[in-house]
Amino acid sequence: MRSDGRRISSLGSLLLMAPFFLLMGFVFVWPIVNLLAISVLEPQPTFDNYGRVLSNPVYALVLMRTLWIAVLVTGLTLLFSYPVAYAMTRAKGPTLVLITACVLLPFWSSVLVRTAAWAVLLQRNGLVNQGLQWFGLTSEPVRLLYTQGAVVVAMTHVLMPFMILPIYGALRNISPDYMRAAAVLGASRSRAFREVMLPLSLPGVLSGSILVFLTALGFFVTPALLGSPQEMMIATLVSQQIRETLDWPFAAALVGVLTLFVSLIAVIFSKAVRFDRLMGGRE
C-alpha cells in the first residue's frame, strides 16, 4: 500500500519483486538446475549416479546420520532457545540489552571463527578437559574433539540465534492479558503457560525449527572441522567427491537427493501449517 492509502496494483507489485526473483534465479535456481542436469547427463544420460547413492549402504548411512544430527540439533536448539526467548520478553532495560547482545553477538563473527573456538575448547588440553579433571570427573583427558558430540554441540551453539529470534517474535505478539485472564480463571502459572502461552507461540517454534533443521542438513564448516572422517555428513561427502575424486556427476546426485528430501519436508510443513502463521501473521 502506498503512503497515500492507495493499493499498489498486481503489476506494480510484480515489478517491485522482479529484481529479487532475478537474483534468486541467478544465484539459487540456476546452479541447482545445472547440478541436477550434470547428475543425469554426464558423462552420458543415465540414472546410475542416483542408483549408487541409494544402493550403497555407506552413502545411505551418511544420509541417515545427517538426518539424525539435524533432528538432534533442532531439538537441543529448541530446548535451550525457548527459555532465552521467554526471558527476553520479560526483561526490560539493561537486562534486555544484555540478553539481546548475547543473542546477536554470534552474527558479528563468522561460523569458521566460532567453530575454531570450539576446537580450542574441546581439544585434549582444552578448557573443557581441564574443568573435567579439576572437578574430579575424569582422571585424564578424554576425547572430545573429532566426535559426533562435538559437532552437535557446536552446531547447536551456532544455530541458536535462528531459533531464538522467531520464538521471541511470536512471544512478543502474545498479549499479557491472556495470561492474566488465565490466572483470573484459576489456572496456575505452569498450566497457563502450557495451555495459553505455549500453543500461541507454536508458529514461532515451528518456523525456527524449520529454519534450524534445513540449515543443519547442509552444514559443512562445523562437521568438517570438528567431526571425524568416519562420521561425515552429506555436505562433507559432497565436498570430498568434488575436491578429491573429481566425481562431479555423483556429487550432483548427492545434492539432488538432498534437494528432493528438503523439498518434501517443505511441502509437508506447508500443508500442515499455513505460511502466514509461520511468519507470525494473524488469522
Side-chain angles (χ1 to χ4, degrees):
M1 182 175 292
R2 293 177 4 183
S3 59
D4 58 2
R6 297 170 58 188
R7 291 185 177 276
I8 301 176
S9 65
S10 300
L11 179 59
S13 300
L14 184 60
L15 291 176
L16 289 174
M17 295 294 294
F20 170 77
F21 288 130
L22 290 175
L23 179 63
M24 291 298 295
F26 179 72
V27 303
F28 179 73
V29 177
W30 167 246
I32 293 296
V33 172
N34 193 29
L35 275 176
L36 296 179
I38 291 175
S39 68
V40 296
L41 297 179
E42 293 187 11
Q44 58 184 3
T46 179
F47 286 95
D48 291 345
N49 293 313
Y50 288 95
R52 288 173 58 190
V53 176
L54 300 176
S55 62
N56 193 318
V58 174
Y59 303 133
L61 180 61
V62 171
L63 289 171
M64 292 298 101
R65 182 186 301 119
T66 302
L67 175 61
W68 162 245
I69 291 178
V71 171
L72 184 58
V73 168
T74 302
L76 291 175
T77 305
L78 176 59
L79 179 65
F80 294 124
S81 298
Y82 200 102
V84 176
Y86 186 80
M88 290 176 66
T89 61
R90 294 294 179 265
K92 296 180 180 179
T95 304
L96 177 60
V97 173
L98 177 61
I99 298 176
T100 304
C102 292
V103 172
L104 298 179
L105 185 62
F107 289 116
W108 300 347
S109 60
S110 68
V111 176
L112 180 61
V113 173
R114 282 173 277 171
T115 302
W118 275 107
V120 173
L121 291 174
L122 298 176
Q123 62 182 337
R124 185 173 180 81
N125 296 320
L127 186 62
V128 176
N129 262 314
Q130 292 179 12
L132 292 175
Q133 295 177 76
W134 190 81
F135 284 107
L137 298 177
T138 59
S139 58
E140 59 183 14
V142 296
R143 183 172 178 262
L144 299 174
L145 199 58
Y146 307 124
T147 62
Q148 189 175 112
V151 173
V152 171
V153 169
M155 287 178 61
T156 300
H157 167 250
V158 170
L159 294 175
M160 272 188 65
F162 297 98
M163 181 72 77
I164 294 174
L165 296 178
I167 296 177
Y168 173 64
L171 290 175
R172 279 199 62 187
N173 289 330
I174 301 175
S175 174
D177 293 337
Y178 294 155
M179 297 296 287
R180 297 192 191 102
V184 169
L185 293 174
S188 62
R189 296 189 64 178
S190 60
R191 183 178 180 183
F193 175 81
R194 292 194 310 270
E195 299 186 8
V196 178
M197 183 73 71
L198 185 59
L200 292 176
S201 64
L202 282 182
V205 171
L206 290 174
S207 57
S209 299
I210 294 172
L211 185 60
V212 170
F213 180 74
L214 296 182
T215 304
L217 282 177
F219 233 61
F220 171 72
V221 174
T222 303
L225 294 182
L226 301 183
S228 66
Q230 291 75 25
E231 296 182 348
M232 69 171 60
M233 295 176 64
I234 190 167
T236 310
L237 179 60
V238 171
S239 175
Q240 181 189 73
Q241 296 298 319
I242 292 176
R243 295 187 305 163
E244 298 179 12
T245 64
L246 302 179
D247 194 348
W248 278 82
F250 181 64
L254 290 170
V255 173
V257 172
L258 183 61
T259 302
L260 176 62
F261 183 73
V262 170
S263 301
L264 289 175
I265 294 176
V267 170
I268 292 173
F269 272 103
S270 67
K271 296 295 183 181
V273 182
R274 285 174 47 186
F275 181 78
D276 59 343
R277 293 199 63 194
L278 289 180
M279 295 297 103
R282 298 180 183 273
E283 293 291 348

